[in-house]
Amino acid sequence: MMYSEKVLDHFSNPRNVGEVENANAVGQVGNAKCGDIMKISMRIEDNIIKDVKFKTFGCGAAVATSSMATELVKGKSVDDALKLTNKAVMEALDGLPPVKVHCSVLAEEAIGAAIQNYYDNAGIDKKVKKGCDGCCSSCGGHDEHHHE
Ligand code: FES
């Protein structure tokens, strides 16, 4: 199995690992395919993600994609962060082997869950719609990856 240099770099030296102190957005999701878990915490101020960290019981590909995903959303607005897809994260990492695509969905979903938690805490009446867009051929876009 071949991993890109960027995947190996983010796997061996993951960015933003841990939990944000004073987090006001926390999301945890599980991967229906492998049973792995991802937790993302954020500090959001004035609609901007000031800080973000992740913890995962996932594989190396989950570590690398979460590292890259947290780098990509840090400093961005909530709305921009919600536009981040697992595909964009994989592209930023120069790709993942097909059997590892499902691992990249964890970060995207956990970011969505954290922002939903932020909306709920702040009394903002918005629903985050996130999850699999048919990225992996194995699920073909049905609801397998969606988590409450
Ligand atoms: Fe579970 Fe990669 S195998 S996240």
Side-chain angles (χ1 to χ4, degrees), residues 38-110:
M38 166 81 58
K39 185 174 179 187
I40 292 232
S41 56
M42 298 176 179
R43 180 78 204 166
I44 299 172
E45 284 170 25
D46 299 328
N47 215 39
I48 300 292
I49 298 170
K50 297 279 185 192
D51 201 4
V52 51
K53 289 192 170 29
F54 76 94
K55 269 189 178 173
T56 186
F57 288 99
C59 66
V63 171
T65 48
S66 311
S67 170
M68 178 56 92
T70 50
E71 285 282 275
L72 290 171
V73 299
K74 203 180 212 173
K76 294 258 169 68
S77 71
V78 167
D79 294 329
D80 282 348
L82 286 175
K83 287 185 201 134
L84 183 74
T85 62
N86 72 305
K87 270 188 196 145
V89 175
M90 287 192 293
E91 275 163 22
L93 286 167
D94 296 335
L96 273 181
V99 297
K100 287 282 158 188
V101 169
H102 73 275
C103 313
S104 69
V105 178
L106 268 181
E108 179 193 328
E109 288 198 343

